[in-house]
Amino acid sequence: MVAEKQEAVLHIVGKARLQGHVPISGAKNSALALMAGALLSSEGCTIENLPCLMDVQRMEEILVSLGVKVQREAGRIHLDTTCLSSAQAPYELVSQMRASFFIIGPLLSRLGIAQIPLPGGCAIGARPVDLHVKGLQAMGAEVEISHGIVHASCPGGRLQGAKVYLDYPSVGATETIMMAATLAEGETVIQNAAQEPEVVDLANFCRTLGAKIYGAGSKTIVIVGVPQLHGGTYRVIPDRIEAGTYMIAGAITCSDITLGPVIPEHLGALIAKLREIGVQVTIETPTVIHVQGREGKYRGVEVETSPFPGFPTDMQAQLMALLTISEGNSVITETVFENRLQHVAELCRMGANIRTKGNVAIITGVESLSGAPVMATDLRASAALVLAGLAAEGETQLRGLHHLDRGYDRIEEKLRGLGATLYRV
Ligand code: UD1
């Protein structure tokens, strides 16, 4: 008889009081983009401050499948990209993570051909890749989608610089086009580009390898193509979403914690919202943030997610957890993804009072949450449920932990370091 595989459950003991300092890891979304960008280098490169995550592991496996030789030790990875031997990414890996699609730009630019299955990832909306494809086509690529695979090629051998206007400032499309343009012939201008810090990090990484990229972090990015990129070593920026999640952990448990390293400017919208709610947030040093929760009730607020520097969609679920126990009514409008309120039902299982209409959630603060068995529906939803569990009365049992493991580096260890009680069974 085959033994049934038991699903892991995270038990979170509520009414936690946290104290101390939590170390922040390298940014997941930067690390994934940089690993894709490494394919542009004809010499290979080293990436430091890499977070230990399932998504990073999968990206590593994808690179290996393309012929890249990988040496990894703790937070450091060396990618020898001299012997790139395949332009075809395996479906089993790509289907699990949307960021894996980002290899299409570098592969096309370096090898003149790429075959990438349509991506998977969190079920938070349709998440098409039309903007990536339109941008590559504007640069002279021929793209055909058949049987779930995007086949792209450069009939002229090399992509051509072009003016690309993005209908929406998509992070992924900006990164794809920026990477493709580094080795293209001539100048590419991306208008209405995403301004996220991870886009800037990718641009800085590519520049370390010899790319000519100007204006990353603004709405217009100019890339002057070069024949090839050399090697180099680069350090990933701190994860602003992980940092933000711990800031809310401090607030929701009325605790006093510090966190770092962070780049406070990357957290501007969240810091402003937390202060409006009544959380005391202090920039203690240029890289350390101090969060002090308060005993009395927090104030309800209105929040709308939008591209950077707006309030990040990746912090929406976690903020909602905090608002469930804040006074009065709060309103959250999710504008980036069309289906990113699935955590509402789970928070309601824990006693929250939330109604939704389309992409709007109206949260009426309750006295306190109560621990319950809940299911993670996506990556950031899983973090929101951990936060709610820390604040609730009694114990919460969280299932669907593969979501959590995709994006949070050693979360249990870090929370335990702050004094929380949680364990995986
Ligand atoms: C990245 C982040 C993700 C974050 C998101 C928005 C990574 C690995 N992931 O995802 O954590 O939540 O930015 O900040 O960096 N869209 C299209 N067509 C496209 C591309 C996107 O319609 O070709 C739409 C998407 O469906 C979505 C919106 O644009 O509604 C934003 O998506 P995008 O900025 O591209 O997010 P990702 O790069 O997938």
Side-chain angles (χ1 to χ4, degrees):
M1 213 173 76
V2 182
E4 223 177 276
K5 206 175 158 198
Q6 292 275 312
E7 194 196 352
V9 180
L10 183 63
H11 293 250
I12 306 153
V13 177
K15 289 287 164 213
R17 196 44 77 96
L18 310 179
Q19 198 182 11
H21 180 82
V22 61
I24 300 303
S25 300
K28 169 180 89 79
N29 289 348
S30 262
L32 296 174
L34 265 55
M35 288 172 81
L39 292 170
L40 290 164
S41 163
S42 22
E43 292 178 9
C45 63
T46 302
I47 302 172
E48 296 178 341
N49 199 28
L50 205 66
C52 180
L53 303 170
M54 265 324 287
D55 273 9
V56 167
Q57 177 65 35
R58 283 199 190 116
M59 187 58 112
E60 182 182 325
E61 287 166 24
I62 290 173
L63 296 184
V64 168
S65 78
L66 301 173
V68 176
K69 292 202 182 100
V70 177
Q71 269 179 295
R72 187 160 163 200
E73 48 181 76
R76 197 166 198 271
I77 194 166
H78 179 74
L79 301 165
D80 176 354
T81 48
T82 48
C83 40
L84 208 55
S85 56
S86 168
Q88 234 171 324
Y91 170 78
E92 309 76 60
L93 294 170
V94 176
S95 59
Q96 296 178 47
M97 180 177 68
R98 181 174 169 84
S100 51
F101 188 76
F102 303 175
I103 61 174
I104 193 168
L107 277 184
L108 193 56
S109 202
R110 177 116 183 262
L111 301 177
I113 186 164
Q115 288 178 20
I116 319 290
L118 285 165
C122 280
I124 55 180
R127 305 185 86 176
V129 290
D130 55 319
L131 299 173
H132 301 241
V133 169
K134 272 202 261 178
L136 295 173
Q137 283 170 329
M139 298 173 74
E142 277 182 3
V143 184
E144 194 194 302
I145 303 177
S146 61
H147 304 287
I149 295 179
V150 181
H151 301 260
S153 60
C154 296
R158 199 168 164 198
L159 289 170
Q160 300 296 314
K163 260 211 167 79
V164 179
Y165 173 81
L166 292 176
D167 295 327
Y168 184 88
S170 151
V171 173
T174 302
E175 293 176 343
T176 288
I177 297 158
M178 192 166 76
M179 288 190 275
T182 57
L183 299 181
E185 204 170 306
E187 182 182 284
T188 298
V189 180
I190 309 176
Q191 291 173 323
N192 199 27
Q195 296 171 270
E196 268 68 3
E198 294 76 21
V199 171
V200 179
D201 207 31
L202 176 62
N204 289 338
F205 166 72
C206 291
R207 283 161 47 154
T208 302
L209 306 182
K212 292 189 176 161
I213 302 177
Y214 311 95
S218 76
K219 282 193 161 296
T220 305
I221 303 179
V222 178
I223 306 110
V224 180
V226 294
Q228 59 179 37
L229 295 192
H230 50 68
T233 298
Y234 190 84
R235 195 172 167 79
V236 180
I237 52 168
D239 196 313
R240 63 193 169 104
I241 306 301
E242 188 199 23
T245 302
Y246 287 108
M247 287 169 73
I248 295 186
I252 203 168
T253 56
C254 303
S255 301
D256 190 328
I257 63 167
T258 58
L259 48 115
V262 290
I263 301 174
E265 301 82 71
H266 293 174
L267 288 154
L270 176 66
I271 292 173
K273 253 328 142 191
L274 287 177
R275 285 179 176 156
E276 192 182 332
I277 289 170
V279 183
Q280 199 174 325
V281 182
T282 320
I283 316 292
E284 212 154 80
T285 75
T287 59
V288 174
I289 288 182
H290 184 178
V291 176
Q292 285 166 285
R294 71 166 183 205
E295 290 304 332
K297 280 275 175 197
Y298 293 120
R299 286 182 288 277
V301 291
E302 291 198 13
V303 188
E304 186 170 307
T305 62
S306 60
F308 191 84
F311 190 89
T313 173
D314 284 352
M315 283 305 304
Q316 179 257 105
Q318 302 91 311
L319 187 77
M320 188 184 292
L322 178 61
L323 294 177
T324 61
I325 52 166
S326 300
E327 208 158 51
N329 284 334
S330 295
V331 181
I332 291 186
T333 308
E334 171 57 57
T335 75
V336 180
F337 291 107
E338 69 271 25
N339 189 24
R340 205 173 199 180
L341 293 174
Q342 293 169 81
H343 41 280
V344 166
E346 299 303 302
L347 288 170
C348 288
R349 288 171 65 80
M350 299 179 69
N353 181 354
I354 310 170
R355 283 165 294 140
T356 58
K357 199 164 185 201
N359 63 340
V360 179
I362 298 156
I363 305 126
T364 304
V366 295
E367 204 40 50
S368 107
L369 297 172
S370 56
V374 284
M375 177 63 83
T377 48
D378 65 66
L379 168 55
R380 304 304 169 186
S382 66
L385 294 169
V386 171
L387 296 173
L390 291 172
E393 308 260 3
E395 195 189 271
T396 294
Q397 298 104 37
L398 176 63
R399 288 182 170 73
L401 298 180
H402 55 285
H403 291 296
L404 195 62
D405 296 336
R406 282 190 47 214
Y408 284 91
D409 185 1
R410 296 169 288 126
I411 185 168
E412 288 134 85
E413 188 186 318
K414 290 188 186 188
L415 283 171
R416 269 190 227 115
L418 292 173
T421 306
L422 67 174
Y423 54 95
R424 215 178 265 232
V425 177

